[in-house]
Structures are given as C-alpha cells and as structure tokens.
Amino acid sequence: MGGPEVEHLIGLLSKLPGMGPRSARRAALKMLQQPESRMLPLAAALREAAEAVKPCADCGNLDSQDPCTICADEHRDRSIICVVEGVGDLWALERARVHTGLYHVLGGTLSALSGIGPEDLNIPLLLSRIAEGEVAEVILALGATVDGAATAHWLTDQIRPTGVAITRVGQGVPMGGALDVLDDGTLAAALRTRRGA
Amino acid sequence: MEWDAPAIILDTRPYGEGDAVATVMTEEHGVHRGLARGGSSRGKAGTWQAGNMVQVRWTARMSDQLGSFSGELIHAGAAYAMQEALPLSMLTAICAVAEGALPEREPMPLVFNGLLRLIPRLPLGESLLTELVQWECVVLSELGYGLDLSVCTVTGRTDGLAYVSPKTGRAVTEAGAGAWADKLLPLPDFLVGAGKPDLIGWRDGLRLTGHFLARDAFGHLHRPLPLARAMLYDRISAMAAQILKDDETKDAG
C-alpha cells in the first residue's frame, strides 16, 4: 500500500507518543496529500530542531541556545531552583507561570527497584550548582510515586548538609476534585499536609 | 484462564505508552506477572505502585502466557510509606527482595502474610525493622536456606547464642566462637527472643539476612542483592554509626 517509503513513514510516526498505526496512517495520508504545504515544512522543521535543540549544560532543559532561555534570563530569581523529573514537567510549570526561579531537570527518578542510581541521573550537576552558593531554596517538584518520593528523600539527604532550604510541592485534593472520589493515599496526604485556614 | 485475588504489588515497569508489566504477590498464586493495561497512565499509575494492595483479576488464554491484570485499589500502602524516608526505604527493600528472590507462580503464604502484616504498618518506622528482619528469615526458610538459630553448632548449648556461621547459617555461642568470632556474623538478641531491639541489633540483623539472601537466594540466580535492600542496610548502618559516635562523644565529655 503506497510503497515501502510510505510504510516506513507510517512505521516511524506510529512510534510517537499518542500515535498508533491507524492515527499514523491518517497523519501520513494527510501529509502526502499536501506535500508542499504540510510535509516539506514539517521535514524542514524537524531537521532544524534536531540540529539546533540541545540539552542546556546548566539545567538539562531542551533549548536551541545554551545556556537555555530560562537560565539566561536575568529577570529570573536565581536563588530558587525547582527540581523536576523531565522536560515535560518543566514545560508544565512554565505553562502555568507559577515559578519565577530556575529549574533543574534530573532526566528521570531514582529507582531502587529497577536499579537506577544517582549516577544515572543529572544529580552531580545539581549538587555543584547548589555548592556555588547562590541558591537559597531548592523546590523538589517530583511525582507522587514510589520512585519520585525515593528521589526526593535521597536529594533531601544530600542537600540538607549545605544549609539550603528544601521544600516539596504539596499533595492532596486537586482543583475541582471532590473528596469522595479520592483514593485513601491522596486523602491521607491531603490531611497530613493541611495548613491553618 | 483467570483468577481473582487480593495481591500486593511488588514492581511495575512501564510497557509501551501507558501500560505496565506488573509483578504482584498473592497468597494462592505466589509471585505472578501480568500486563496491567493503562498501568503507567495518568489515571491508573497511582494504583499500580509497589507496596499497594489491590484486588487483582488475571486473565489469559493459556496458563503459561503473561496474561493481563485488572486491579482495584484496596490499600494504598505506597502512599502511606512514601511520606518518610525510612518507611519508603523499607517498603522498596521488601518489595525488591520478594520480587527478585521468590520463584514465580509458587504459593508462599507465610511470605505473603508477612508482607500483609508489614506494609500497612511501615509508617511506624524503625520499630518495624525487627519484623522486617524476621520476615527475611522466613523468606530464606521458605526458599530452603533457613537459618538454624536454636542451638550452638559447636557446644550444643541453647543459651548465650551470639554469632552465626556465614557458611552454614547455624548459631554459635561466644565460647564456641573463640578465636573465630571476628569471622562470624553477629546474631542480634531479638532473633533469639531476648533483649530489646535497637539500631545496632537491626543493623546486625540486616547484615545477617543480607549475607544469606545475597549468597543463597540471589547468588543462585546469578544476581546481586537488590539495590533497594543494599540502600536500606546503608541507611540503618549510618544511623547506628551516628548512635555509636554520639555515645563516644557523651563518654568523652
């Protein structure tokens, strides 16, 4: 159907997140029907991004400049570093415009069960950024999973001796969430982290 | 083929975009793997966390296939344990030991019931270390590598047991150990039903069971002791070293 080139294209597209063979076939067909307006600009953009975008040497964010736009921004509060698991989490926080400090992307979480240790993550760079002395607070914005919590505890143990304030993002009732549909663990976390009204 | 049972999740590994290959333990079916559809998706990742207890349904066309899991959360053990470092470290250690050391699809009710008693109480912290070490002794025993802590292998005495032979796993008294004492593993009092457990005892207990788990349970599978278990020992060892250091400072003062 359409020759090996089309099958190859569908095969590559179907490996992308959110895409399966059927949606990849639809996307490929749409592009092939309008190669000049859709396919060639996309190919050019893909090549351009692949060549230009690299991980930031300071924080691990993906950007076409190094240091990245966030690290290079002089208006950012350089005394606060928000530690996130991946670039997707960084983008989510930036989209919400709730953090005005810098970031640090770990590139994953420690997993004692899967054997992922500190040396497999971007942790030494975080510790060296803290050791430079400009940082006053580290926010651990990691997932509420066993691995995320293990990473947060491990980082807390490592950072505490430096005297830098360490905070963690809150856990509990989501916006628009009703208590009766929450699981026991979320309810327990919400009650444990309650604050004065 | 299908069954339905309460299960403890031991491990989940992402598979594809939103699925996960989960390893669970049940009383009747032992350690069992299966594909949890959506197990690493946003909606269900909270359920498929190691340490959670779920009502699991396993279905497969034939018994030797991986099969699929569907599960409903019964107790969010992971969420309760992950608030503090030590309970979380204990949780990941016991899950890693059970997942790595136990044979698949072989019922081990004593090990399962031990996990069932331990996991909900992990937030209590270090006071649960006694039970954790005892549970590891049960794991060794169920695997056929049980320790004999009832009698001294040298003198035949049943009191004053102070060491365990790293070769045979049998207890030895102080007198029986003689010049070999520093080649033997210290036996904490709480494992022979005497004395109040403390950090030094828990450290020695973890060292003792860790030695035999590494040599027998994991060694025979050509695998090292799981990182999670090694990290628990390191944490307790560091806490015990701090206690000893504080005592020395107090004495010097």
Side-chain angles (χ1 to χ4, degrees):
Chain A
M1 187 182 64
E5 294 84 0
V6 176
E7 289 303 320
H8 184 54
L9 175 63
I10 292 170
L12 289 176
L13 287 172
S14 67
K15 289 187 172 63
L16 296 174
M19 300 279 270
R22 287 169 69 93
S23 46
R25 196 168 292 125
R26 284 172 56 207
L29 183 60
K30 189 73 179 172
M31 287 191 286
L32 289 166
Q33 284 169 338
Q34 297 167 310
E36 293 298 327
S37 63
R38 292 193 188 270
M39 200 166 199
L40 294 176
L42 178 67
L46 286 172
R47 176 172 291 278
E48 203 176 316
E51 286 169 358
V53 177
K54 298 278 183 293
C56 171
D58 288 346
C59 71
N61 183 21
L62 291 174
D63 203 315
S64 55
Q65 64 179 64
D66 190 9
C68 70
T69 319
I70 295 171
C71 289
D73 186 348
E74 290 180 359
H75 300 295
R76 289 265 177 179
D77 185 349
R78 312 192 85 76
S79 67
I80 306 175
I81 291 182
C82 182
V83 178
V84 292
E85 183 183 334
V87 175
D89 300 329
L90 186 156
W91 287 356
L93 285 164
E94 278 299 283
R95 195 174 59 232
R97 297 175 190 273
V98 287
H99 176 60
T100 55
L102 302 179
Y103 291 93
H104 192 87
V105 180
L106 292 179
T109 49
L110 299 175
S111 178
L113 289 168
S114 304
I116 299 172
E119 66 283 355
D120 300 314
L121 304 177
N122 193 15
I123 288 176
L125 186 59
L126 171 66
L127 299 177
S128 67
R129 287 177 79 186
I130 293 168
E132 284 169 12
E134 204 180 349
V135 180
E137 181 184 354
V138 173
I139 303 169
L140 301 175
L142 300 168
T145 60
V146 168
D147 292 343
T151 310
H153 290 308
W154 191 86
L155 284 173
T156 304
D157 288 346
Q158 300 299 308
I159 298 169
R160 189 173 283 137
T162 65
V164 170
I166 310 160
T167 53
R168 288 176 69 175
V169 288
Q171 291 172 12
V173 186
M175 289 297 289
L179 291 184
D180 63 342
V181 296
L182 293 183
D183 65 89
D184 300 356
T186 307
L187 279 172
L191 274 180
R192 202 169 13 245
T193 55
R194 68 187 183 275
R195 58 186 178 142
Chain B
M1 301 294 301
E2 68 176 80
W3 50 256
D4 196 305
I8 294 164
I9 300 171
L10 302 178
D11 187 25
T12 50
R13 287 158 203 267
Y15 181 82
E17 207 173 312
D19 301 334
V21 174
T23 309
V24 305
M25 184 173 197
T26 71
E27 189 169 14
E28 279 181 50
H29 307 281
V31 173
H32 209 292
R33 280 175 223 279
L35 181 70
R37 297 255 176 228
S40 61
S41 66
R42 282 183 196 173
K44 291 186 186 168
T47 300
W48 294 97
Q49 292 290 309
N52 281 353
M53 190 172 178
V54 286
Q55 184 70 28
V56 152
R57 184 161 186 249
W58 179 79
T59 50
R61 200 165 55 83
M62 288 186 288
S63 64
D64 57 352
Q65 289 178 324
L66 178 68
S68 303
F69 281 142
S70 56
E72 192 176 326
L73 188 65
I74 299 173
H75 176 75
Y80 288 102
M82 69 170 68
Q83 304 302 322
E84 301 289 334
L86 181 59
L88 182 61
S89 186
M90 290 161 71
L91 177 74
T92 52
I94 56 178
C95 287
V97 166
E99 192 265 342
L102 302 179
E104 280 192 54
R105 303 191 182 195
E106 200 168 302
M108 294 207 169
L110 287 178
V111 176
F112 176 79
N113 288 318
L115 280 177
L116 209 56
R117 279 193 300 275
L118 265 173
I119 289 175
R121 293 185 297 132
L122 283 176
L124 294 174
E126 60 186 39
S127 62
L128 261 285
L129 283 165
T130 302
E131 280 186 49
L132 190 149
V133 174
Q134 287 166 341
W135 175 79
E136 288 190 336
C137 289
V138 171
V139 170
L140 285 167
S141 175
E142 290 292 288
L143 290 172
Y145 306 117
L147 308 178
D148 181 1
L149 309 178
S150 59
V151 63
C152 173
T153 189
V154 180
T155 62
R157 291 183 68 96
T158 55
D159 58 330
L161 300 171
Y163 298 100
V164 174
S165 163
K167 284 191 179 174
T168 62
R170 299 178 73 179
V172 186
T173 58
E174 190 80 56
W180 297 92
D182 52 353
K183 293 191 188 303
L184 303 176
L185 296 165
L187 173 63
D189 290 341
F190 70 82
L191 277 182
V192 285
K196 196 176 166 217
D198 60 6
L199 274 170
I200 314 293
W202 290 321
R203 179 201 62 191
D204 291 345
L206 287 172
R207 187 179 161 205
L208 177 69
T209 49
H211 168 81
F212 290 103
L213 283 170
R215 190 193 71 176
D216 298 331
F218 288 92
H220 284 177
L221 299 170
H222 305 287
R223 286 190 215 156
L225 195 64
L227 178 64
R229 175 58 174 77
M231 285 172 79
L232 174 65
Y233 175 74
D234 291 346
R235 180 175 288 277
I236 300 302
S237 201
M239 288 163 71
Q242 187 61 45
I243 294 269
L244 290 172
K245 197 176 161 189
D246 291 348
D247 287 349
E248 278 174 22
T249 314
K250 214 178 285 176
D251 291 345

PDB file of all heavy atoms in Angstrom, chain A residues 83 126-127 130 138 140 154-166:
ATOM      1  N   VAL A  83      13.446  21.508  41.078  1.00  0.00           N
ATOM      2  CA  VAL A  83      13.956  20.249  40.521  1.00  0.00           C
ATOM      3  C   VAL A  83      12.791  19.435  39.960  1.00  0.00           C
ATOM      4  O   VAL A  83      11.821  19.169  40.683  1.00  0.00           O
ATOM      5  CB  VAL A  83      14.691  19.434  41.610  1.00  0.00           C
ATOM      6  CG1 VAL A  83      15.187  18.111  41.057  1.00  0.00           C
ATOM      7  CG2 VAL A  83      15.849  20.237  42.172  1.00  0.00           C
ATOM      8  N   LEU A 126      23.390  19.196  39.732  1.00  0.00           N
ATOM      9  CA  LEU A 126      22.526  19.918  40.682  1.00  0.00           C
ATOM     10  C   LEU A 126      23.317  20.241  41.956  1.00  0.00           C
ATOM     11  O   LEU A 126      23.273  21.365  42.455  1.00  0.00           O
ATOM     12  CB  LEU A 126      21.299  19.058  41.021  1.00  0.00           C
ATOM     13  CG  LEU A 126      20.418  19.579  42.162  1.00  0.00           C
ATOM     14  CD1 LEU A 126      19.749  20.896  41.772  1.00  0.00           C
ATOM     15  CD2 LEU A 126      19.368  18.555  42.556  1.00  0.00           C
ATOM     16  N   LEU A 127      24.052  19.253  42.450  1.00  0.00           N
ATOM     17  CA  LEU A 127      24.811  19.464  43.686  1.00  0.00           C
ATOM     18  C   LEU A 127      25.904  20.515  43.481  1.00  0.00           C
ATOM     19  O   LEU A 127      26.168  21.325  44.374  1.00  0.00           O
ATOM     20  CB  LEU A 127      25.404  18.134  44.175  1.00  0.00           C
ATOM     21  CG  LEU A 127      24.361  17.050  44.513  1.00  0.00           C
ATOM     22  CD1 LEU A 127      25.052  15.758  44.921  1.00  0.00           C
ATOM     23  CD2 LEU A 127      23.407  17.510  45.602  1.00  0.00           C
ATOM     24  N   ILE A 130      24.297  23.935  43.544  1.00  0.00           N
ATOM     25  CA  ILE A 130      23.991  24.349  44.920  1.00  0.00           C
ATOM     26  C   ILE A 130      25.275  24.776  45.627  1.00  0.00           C
ATOM     27  O   ILE A 130      25.283  25.769  46.371  1.00  0.00           O
ATOM     28  CB  ILE A 130      23.287  23.192  45.665  1.00  0.00           C
ATOM     29  CG1 ILE A 130      21.913  22.945  45.055  1.00  0.00           C
ATOM     30  CG2 ILE A 130      23.170  23.493  47.162  1.00  0.00           C
ATOM     31  CD1 ILE A 130      21.249  21.662  45.509  1.00  0.00           C
ATOM     32  N   VAL A 138      15.699  25.019  47.328  1.00  0.00           N
ATOM     33  CA  VAL A 138      15.508  24.003  46.287  1.00  0.00           C
ATOM     34  C   VAL A 138      14.097  23.450  46.445  1.00  0.00           C
ATOM     35  O   VAL A 138      13.729  22.980  47.525  1.00  0.00           O
ATOM     36  CB  VAL A 138      16.550  22.868  46.419  1.00  0.00           C
ATOM     37  CG1 VAL A 138      16.225  21.736  45.450  1.00  0.00           C
ATOM     38  CG2 VAL A 138      17.952  23.383  46.142  1.00  0.00           C
ATOM     39  N   LEU A 140      11.570  20.615  45.407  1.00  0.00           N
ATOM     40  CA  LEU A 140      11.539  19.278  44.800  1.00  0.00           C
ATOM     41  C   LEU A 140      10.144  19.047  44.230  1.00  0.00           C
ATOM     42  O   LEU A 140       9.204  18.754  44.968  1.00  0.00           O
ATOM     43  CB  LEU A 140      11.899  18.219  45.839  1.00  0.00           C
ATOM     44  CG  LEU A 140      13.280  18.374  46.484  1.00  0.00           C
ATOM     45  CD1 LEU A 140      13.487  17.350  47.583  1.00  0.00           C
ATOM     46  CD2 LEU A 140      14.392  18.266  45.447  1.00  0.00           C
ATOM     47  N   TRP A 154      16.159  11.097  48.907  1.00  0.00           N
ATOM     48  CA  TRP A 154      17.612  10.971  48.688  1.00  0.00           C
ATOM     49  C   TRP A 154      18.234  12.353  48.466  1.00  0.00           C
ATOM     50  O   TRP A 154      19.276  12.667  49.043  1.00  0.00           O
ATOM     51  CB  TRP A 154      17.879  10.057  47.479  1.00  0.00           C
ATOM     52  CG  TRP A 154      19.311   9.667  47.358  1.00  0.00           C
ATOM     53  CD1 TRP A 154      19.931   8.615  47.965  1.00  0.00           C
ATOM     54  CD2 TRP A 154      20.327  10.345  46.612  1.00  0.00           C
ATOM     55  NE1 TRP A 154      21.248   8.592  47.642  1.00  0.00           N
ATOM     56  CE2 TRP A 154      21.536   9.637  46.816  1.00  0.00           C
ATOM     57  CE3 TRP A 154      20.348  11.469  45.794  1.00  0.00           C
ATOM     58  CZ2 TRP A 154      22.736  10.023  46.221  1.00  0.00           C
ATOM     59  CZ3 TRP A 154      21.547  11.852  45.213  1.00  0.00           C
ATOM     60  CH2 TRP A 154      22.715  11.133  45.428  1.00  0.00           C
ATOM     61  N   LEU A 155      17.570  13.169  47.647  1.00  0.00           N
ATOM     62  CA  LEU A 155      18.090  14.521  47.403  1.00  0.00           C
ATOM     63  C   LEU A 155      18.086  15.347  48.685  1.00  0.00           C
ATOM     64  O   LEU A 155      19.013  16.119  48.934  1.00  0.00           O
ATOM     65  CB  LEU A 155      17.260  15.217  46.319  1.00  0.00           C
ATOM     66  CG  LEU A 155      17.517  14.772  44.877  1.00  0.00           C
ATOM     67  CD1 LEU A 155      16.508  15.417  43.940  1.00  0.00           C
ATOM     68  CD2 LEU A 155      18.934  15.125  44.437  1.00  0.00           C
ATOM     69  N   THR A 156      17.044  15.183  49.498  1.00  0.00           N
ATOM     70  CA  THR A 156      16.973  15.910  50.770  1.00  0.00           C
ATOM     71  C   THR A 156      18.184  15.562  51.638  1.00  0.00           C
ATOM     72  O   THR A 156      18.817  16.457  52.220  1.00  0.00           O
ATOM     73  CB  THR A 156      15.662  15.553  51.512  1.00  0.00           C
ATOM     74  OG1 THR A 156      14.574  15.840  50.647  1.00  0.00           O
ATOM     75  CG2 THR A 156      15.510  16.351  52.792  1.00  0.00           C
ATOM     76  N   ASP A 157      18.500  14.261  51.708  1.00  0.00           N
ATOM     77  CA  ASP A 157      19.671  13.832  52.500  1.00  0.00           C
ATOM     78  C   ASP A 157      20.959  14.458  51.970  1.00  0.00           C
ATOM     79  O   ASP A 157      21.861  14.795  52.730  1.00  0.00           O
ATOM     80  CB  ASP A 157      19.807  12.298  52.465  1.00  0.00           C
ATOM     81  CG  ASP A 157      18.728  11.619  53.288  1.00  0.00           C
ATOM     82  OD1 ASP A 157      18.066  12.326  54.078  1.00  0.00           O
ATOM     83  OD2 ASP A 157      18.539  10.404  53.127  1.00  0.00           O
ATOM     84  N   GLN A 158      21.058  14.582  50.648  1.00  0.00           N
ATOM     85  CA  GLN A 158      22.282  15.118  50.037  1.00  0.00           C
ATOM     86  C   GLN A 158      22.396  16.636  50.205  1.00  0.00           C
ATOM     87  O   GLN A 158      23.479  17.174  50.389  1.00  0.00           O
ATOM     88  CB  GLN A 158      22.326  14.795  48.527  1.00  0.00           C
ATOM     89  CG  GLN A 158      22.296  13.324  48.197  1.00  0.00           C
ATOM     90  CD  GLN A 158      23.489  12.586  48.772  1.00  0.00           C
ATOM     91  OE1 GLN A 158      24.637  12.978  48.574  1.00  0.00           O
ATOM     92  NE2 GLN A 158      23.214  11.523  49.512  1.00  0.00           N
ATOM     93  N   ILE A 159      21.251  17.326  50.121  1.00  0.00           N
ATOM     94  CA  ILE A 159      21.271  18.796  50.110  1.00  0.00           C
ATOM     95  C   ILE A 159      21.273  19.375  51.521  1.00  0.00           C
ATOM     96  O   ILE A 159      21.840  20.437  51.757  1.00  0.00           O
ATOM     97  CB  ILE A 159      20.057  19.330  49.293  1.00  0.00           C
ATOM     98  CG1 ILE A 159      20.148  18.853  47.849  1.00  0.00           C
ATOM     99  CG2 ILE A 159      19.989  20.849  49.327  1.00  0.00           C
ATOM    100  CD1 ILE A 159      18.885  19.084  47.032  1.00  0.00           C
ATOM    101  N   ARG A 160      20.649  18.651  52.472  1.00  0.00           N
ATOM    102  CA  ARG A 160      20.487  19.192  53.830  1.00  0.00           C
ATOM    103  C   ARG A 160      21.796  19.713  54.437  1.00  0.00           C
ATOM    104  O   ARG A 160      21.805  20.807  55.020  1.00  0.00           O
ATOM    105  CB  ARG A 160      19.845  18.144  54.739  1.00  0.00           C
ATOM    106  CG  ARG A 160      19.462  18.726  56.087  1.00  0.00           C
ATOM    107  CD  ARG A 160      18.677  17.756  56.936  1.00  0.00           C
ATOM    108  NE  ARG A 160      17.296  17.648  56.507  1.00  0.00           N
ATOM    109  CZ  ARG A 160      16.634  16.498  56.399  1.00  0.00           C
ATOM    110  NH1 ARG A 160      17.247  15.366  56.674  1.00  0.00           N
ATOM    111  NH2 ARG A 160      15.386  16.488  56.018  1.00  0.00           N
ATOM    112  N   PRO A 161      22.921  18.993  54.329  1.00  0.00           N
ATOM    113  CA  PRO A 161      24.155  19.492  54.950  1.00  0.00           C
ATOM    114  C   PRO A 161      24.620  20.852  54.414  1.00  0.00           C
ATOM    115  O   PRO A 161      25.385  21.551  55.082  1.00  0.00           O
ATOM    116  CB  PRO A 161      25.188  18.417  54.613  1.00  0.00           C
ATOM    117  CG  PRO A 161      24.407  17.197  54.325  1.00  0.00           C
ATOM    118  CD  PRO A 161      23.134  17.665  53.734  1.00  0.00           C
ATOM    119  N   THR A 162      24.160  21.244  53.223  1.00  0.00           N
ATOM    120  CA  THR A 162      24.589  22.538  52.659  1.00  0.00           C
ATOM    121  C   THR A 162      23.868  23.715  53.322  1.00  0.00           C
ATOM    122  O   THR A 162      24.267  24.866  53.138  1.00  0.00           O
ATOM    123  CB  THR A 162      24.307  22.601  51.137  1.00  0.00           C
ATOM    124  OG1 THR A 162      22.888  22.547  50.946  1.00  0.00           O
ATOM    125  CG2 THR A 162      24.971  21.458  50.390  1.00  0.00           C
ATOM    126  N   GLY A 163      22.787  23.438  54.052  1.00  0.00           N
ATOM    127  CA  GLY A 163      22.039  24.509  54.724  1.00  0.00           C
ATOM    128  C   GLY A 163      21.019  25.188  53.838  1.00  0.00           C
ATOM    129  O   GLY A 163      20.304  26.092  54.290  1.00  0.00           O
ATOM    130  N   VAL A 164      20.916  24.772  52.596  1.00  0.00           N
ATOM    131  CA  VAL A 164      19.935  25.361  51.668  1.00  0.00           C
ATOM    132  C   VAL A 164      18.535  24.866  52.044  1.00  0.00           C
ATOM    133  O   VAL A 164      18.357  23.693  52.380  1.00  0.00           O
ATOM    134  CB  VAL A 164      20.283  24.938  50.214  1.00  0.00           C
ATOM    135  CG1 VAL A 164      19.173  25.314  49.249  1.00  0.00           C
ATOM    136  CG2 VAL A 164      21.584  25.562  49.783  1.00  0.00           C
ATOM    137  N   ALA A 165      17.534  25.767  52.008  1.00  0.00           N
ATOM    138  CA  ALA A 165      16.156  25.370  52.324  1.00  0.00           C
ATOM    139  C   ALA A 165      15.647  24.393  51.265  1.00  0.00           C
ATOM    140  O   ALA A 165      15.883  24.594  50.066  1.00  0.00           O
ATOM    141  CB  ALA A 165      15.270  26.603  52.362  1.00  0.00           C
ATOM    142  N   ILE A 166      14.985  23.339  51.726  1.00  0.00           N
ATOM    143  CA  ILE A 166      14.437  22.343  50.790  1.00  0.00           C
ATOM    144  C   ILE A 166      12.933  22.284  51.001  1.00  0.00           C
ATOM    145  O   ILE A 166      12.461  22.116  52.125  1.00  0.00           O
ATOM    146  CB  ILE A 166      15.027  20.940  51.048  1.00  0.00           C
ATOM    147  CG1 ILE A 166      16.556  21.003  51.124  1.00  0.00           C
ATOM    148  CG2 ILE A 166      14.610  19.957  49.961  1.00  0.00           C
ATOM    149  CD1 ILE A 166      17.171  19.826  51.829  1.00  0.00           C
TER     150      ILE A 166
END
